[in-house]
Amino acid sequence: CFSPKTLGDVTVVTEELKNLYYKRLLPIEKHYSFHHFHSPSYEDADFDNKPMVLVMGQYSTGKTTFIRYLLEEEFPGSRVGPEPTTDCFTALMYGEEERVTPGNAITVDPKKPFRNLDPFGNSFLNRFQCVQMPNPVLESISIIDTPGILTAAKRKLSRGYDFQAVLRWFAERVDRIILLFDAHKLEFSDELTRAFGALYGYEDKLRVVLNKADRVDSQQLMRVYGALMWSLGKVFRTPEILRVYIGSFWSEPRQRCDHYKLIELEEEDLLTDIRNLPRNATVRKLNDLVKRARLAHAHIISHLKQEMPTIFCRESKKHNLIYELPVIFTKIQQQHRVPAGDFPDCTKMQEKLLGQDFSKFKTLKPSLMNSLNKLLTTDIASLVPLFQQQEQRKKSLPAVLDGEFLGTFRRDQFKGDPFKEMLKDDEISEADSDEWVVEKYKPKYDEIFYNLSPHDGKLSGTKVKEWMTTTHLPNSVLAHIWRLADVDRDGMLDNEEFALAVHLIEGKLDGHWLPRELPSHLVPPSKRLSTSSDAPA
């Protein structure tokens, strides 16, 4: 975890960004009515909240299952099925107690970054909710689950709100966008293509996942992957190719296939990317702040004001100016040496200008422009050393996102885990007893243990790993089981520890969630004295 000093560094950087925005940029945005044309003004919650991950895709691509895989537990309102099961936007955030807050209530909470969702109306707010739960993954990131994007067969259905605009609102504010596709049901519908339009300009946040890849053979996978890359290339016209992860993101056994190892490597790459989000969150906020500051909005508004007549023919002149906006953009580029990339989308700007009163626009104010120039040239540069200090420290996330034990069984990787105990229903009654619940199954487990040829009564990590991988559970899950089972932390398993490992694997295969820390009733009898004596006084 972060040390107090590290937390202090993060707070300092965030507070400095906040001060720069309120002191330098917000007065300019207010003076030139930035929020009428682009996004609303930032609030404290936009700076203070944890990094967010937006999970989107067509229905039945595994969005909700992917989130459950990250959290290692169910969350209120989650349903999984081949039909559209998620019909609302759900923000998953950390809370001391499990609580579901409806959209109308959450948008008035100043501590949550959702206050500017009001303009989308009740039709949307009735389909938006915030779920708070005491899950340690949510201490570091927040996750937004979205409704399944409709296929071609259902494209005539109306949602009652502007789905594309809502997606764009979230895309602007989140740190990562995970777009899932089904490897054996690849389809590009009209609504999906429109949803891509909401992501224009945010391709750097986008990660594409070709999910359920273990359900197709290697030849089919190559064809589907090629078709997906071709389709994405037509929609996202960027010089660089989008990163597509091939995987099967759930905590159940995977089907054995020729590309099994590829799936494991891709899983680790994607989890590493998500794991780095908290470390890079302040960099993303700085990037968004600079994007807003560089937008040539003030120059555009000032030019339109100067071109407007004082009394006569205002309306006709206004429409002429809107029509000539591409030419005006070129003039501003030449006069003020503003790069073409710093201008907003011309068509959208024309649409916004139609409903505005040009007579209320303001001309360039030298003091405000000097302040903006100071922000971009001096103030931002002074923050760089703080970012470099922060970059040197990493925070490990729990569950499958824990880089300390992902894909490895090495002894030096073991760390404490802040998860709470989660017991199986049939074990709760036995939790306070001295009986070891694994004992009755031990003869069966011992047979496997001795067939693996232990040395001096213990099995090495290599032998155990070879046997564990035959269960087809993801490496991240098996590594968690190893960490729980190696009670004495010697990098090997004796017969009791091995029996415990098999017991946990069987529980996982039966659909139970793994305990975060090893409950006392699962500790092998021979290890109970040592674990209690090791505990801090």
Side-chain angles (χ1 to χ4, degrees):
C1 292
F2 278 135
S3 64
K5 183 178 179 184
T6 311
L7 285 171
D9 289 341
V10 174
T11 305
V12 166
V13 174
T14 303
E15 286 300 317
E16 282 298 316
L17 281 176
K18 201 187 300 184
N19 291 337
L20 287 178
Y21 176 72
Y22 289 139
K23 180 182 176 183
R24 303 282 190 204
L25 193 53
L26 185 59
I28 299 170
E29 292 186 351
K30 286 183 174 178
H31 191 72
Y32 297 105
S33 305
F34 185 92
H35 61 283
H36 287 316
F37 298 91
H38 310 290
S39 56
S41 303
Y42 282 164
E43 298 181 346
D44 283 354
D46 293 305
F47 292 97
D48 298 334
N49 267 277
K50 303 173 182 71
M52 292 192 288
V53 178
L54 179 70
V55 182
M56 57 182 289
Q58 291 177 308
Y59 75 85
S60 193
T61 53
K63 297 183 302 300
T64 303
T65 304
F66 176 77
I67 294 171
R68 283 162 52 177
Y69 163 77
L70 294 181
L71 301 181
E72 261 291 315
E73 67 174 304
E74 303 273 1
F75 59 90
S78 65
R79 290 191 302 123
V80 176
E83 75 286 355
T85 52
T86 304
D87 63 347
C88 65
F89 283 80
T90 301
L92 295 161
M93 309 184 82
Y94 181 80
E96 294 295 335
E97 297 178 357
E98 194 172 285
R99 183 167 69 243
V100 179
T101 309
N104 281 290
I106 204 67
T107 52
V108 297
D109 186 347
K111 294 182 179 179
K112 298 289 186 291
F114 306 120
R115 283 161 59 87
N116 293 311
L117 282 168
D118 279 339
F120 295 111
N122 276 326
S123 294
F124 166 70
L125 294 178
N126 289 335
R127 293 177 176 84
F128 176 55
Q129 62 181 5
C130 178
V131 173
Q132 290 177 278
M133 52 195 295
N135 183 292
V137 172
L138 298 177
E139 288 190 77
S140 300
I141 60 175
S142 298
I143 302 174
I144 312 295
D145 192 12
T146 61
I149 294 171
L150 300 175
T151 58
K154 300 179 180 291
R155 65 178 180 271
K156 293 181 181 179
L157 297 177
S158 173
R159 294 184 184 271
Y161 60 90
D162 191 338
F163 182 65
Q164 184 179 352
V166 174
L167 281 180
R168 186 161 187 84
W169 189 95
F170 278 108
E172 181 184 351
R173 287 159 179 79
V174 300
D175 297 76
R176 184 66 72 237
I177 302 167
I178 307 290
L179 176 60
L180 289 106
F181 288 93
D182 190 328
H184 62 277
K185 194 183 65 179
L186 193 62
E187 180 183 358
F188 276 66
S189 64
D190 294 345
E191 187 172 60
L192 181 61
T193 305
R194 288 195 299 273
F196 287 154
L199 306 181
Y200 286 155
Y202 305 108
E203 291 87 353
D204 58 317
K205 300 180 180 181
L206 185 61
R207 301 293 182 269
V208 180
V209 175
L210 188 56
N211 201 19
K212 306 182 185 180
D214 59 331
R215 306 304 168 102
V216 296
D217 61 38
S218 297
Q219 186 180 25
Q220 289 174 310
L221 181 64
M222 286 179 62
R223 289 174 177 167
V224 171
Y225 181 83
L228 177 61
M229 294 301 292
W230 182 80
S231 300
L232 291 173
K234 288 176 62 181
V235 177
F236 295 104
R237 300 184 181 278
T238 55
E240 65 278 356
I241 298 172
L242 286 174
R243 175 70 159 95
V244 176
Y245 296 86
I246 297 168
S248 180
F249 291 94
W250 63 341
S251 55
E252 302 302 317
R254 293 174 178 142
Q255 292 186 12
R256 200 70 189 180
C257 53
D258 293 339
H259 45 275
Y260 191 87
K261 187 64 179 176
L262 173 65
I263 289 175
E264 288 185 343
L265 293 172
E266 293 282 278
E267 172 194 36
E268 190 161 345
D269 282 354
L270 181 60
L271 294 182
T272 300
D273 183 75
I274 297 173
R275 188 164 60 245
N276 287 334
L277 289 179
R279 186 165 53 122
N280 299 328
T282 45
V283 179
R284 196 271 304 172
K285 289 170 186 171
L286 173 66
N287 186 51
D288 288 351
L289 191 73
V290 172
K291 269 186 183 179
R292 291 173 76 99
R294 289 183 62 90
L295 203 61
H297 177 75
H299 290 292
I300 299 167
I301 297 300
S302 174
H303 187 95
L304 294 174
K305 172 66 175 177
Q306 291 172 345
E307 292 291 321
M308 282 295 287
T310 310
I311 302 174
F312 301 108
C313 305
R314 285 186 177 183
E315 200 61 28
S316 60
K317 182 63 174 177
K318 170 184 169 179
H319 283 88
N320 286 339
L321 287 171
I322 293 174
Y323 179 76
E324 294 172 0
L325 195 62
V327 179
I328 292 172
F329 279 12
T330 305
K331 285 182 181 178
I332 294 172
Q333 285 181 50
Q334 295 169 348
Q335 290 175 8
H336 301 279
R337 296 182 180 178
V338 180
D342 290 350
F343 285 83
D345 181 274
C346 189
T347 305
K348 289 181 180 177
M349 191 70 180
Q350 287 172 319
E351 291 173 1
K352 297 281 187 180
L353 286 168
L354 284 170
Q356 299 295 321
D357 182 356
F358 284 21
S359 63
K360 294 181 179 179
F361 287 176
K362 310 284 179 64
T363 56
L364 286 180
K365 191 175 181 181
S367 60
L368 287 178
M369 300 312 293
N370 289 337
S371 180
L372 178 62
N373 186 56
K374 189 174 187 301
L375 169 70
L376 292 171
T377 57
T378 308
D379 296 333
I380 297 298
S382 67
L383 288 180
V384 173
L386 287 175
F387 281 108
Q388 290 173 341
Q389 291 174 23
Q390 195 180 319
E391 189 70 18
Q392 294 170 2
R393 300 178 177 92
K394 295 174 69 175
K395 181 179 180 182
S396 181
L397 301 184
V400 297
L401 289 173
D402 190 343
E404 300 295 347
F405 62 78
L406 178 63
T408 180
F409 301 153
R410 292 196 304 275
R411 179 184 178 186
D412 61 354
Q413 292 292 334
F414 297 135
K415 300 287 180 185
D417 209 328
F419 282 95
K420 296 178 181 177
E421 285 185 5
M422 294 181 64
L423 310 183
K424 299 180 188 178
D425 294 339
D426 60 346
E427 291 173 357
I428 292 175
S429 61
E430 302 175 75
D432 298 325
S433 70
D434 292 331
E435 181 186 351
W436 189 36
V437 297
V438 183
E439 190 67 50
K440 55 186 173 183
Y441 310 108
K442 195 167 180 297
K444 177 178 66 172
Y445 302 152
D446 281 347
E447 186 178 344
I448 303 171
F449 178 81
Y450 289 108
N451 281 338
L452 293 174
S453 304
H455 180 67
D456 292 336
K458 293 194 173 185
L459 287 172
S460 67
T462 304
K463 283 188 176 181
V464 176
K465 184 175 181 179
E466 286 177 1
W467 179 83
M468 278 183 161
T469 53
T470 63
T471 64
H472 302 325
L473 284 169
N475 268 4
S476 52
V477 174
L478 295 177
H480 191 138
I481 290 170
W482 169 273
R483 188 184 67 82
L484 293 172
D486 188 14
V487 180
D488 56 12
R489 302 291 188 261
D490 65 351
M492 297 182 286
L493 299 187
D494 60 24
N495 63 337
E496 287 185 337
E497 290 172 322
F498 183 78
L500 171 60
V502 182
H503 181 69
L504 292 171
I505 287 172
E506 288 187 348
K508 186 63 188 171
L509 292 172
D510 288 340
H512 296 282
W513 297 110
L514 291 171
R516 311 301 190 183
E517 294 281 356
L518 192 64
S520 56
H521 68 284
L522 285 178
V523 177
S526 65
K527 304 292 188 296
R528 290 182 182 180
L529 184 60
S530 61
T531 52
S532 60
S533 63
D534 289 342

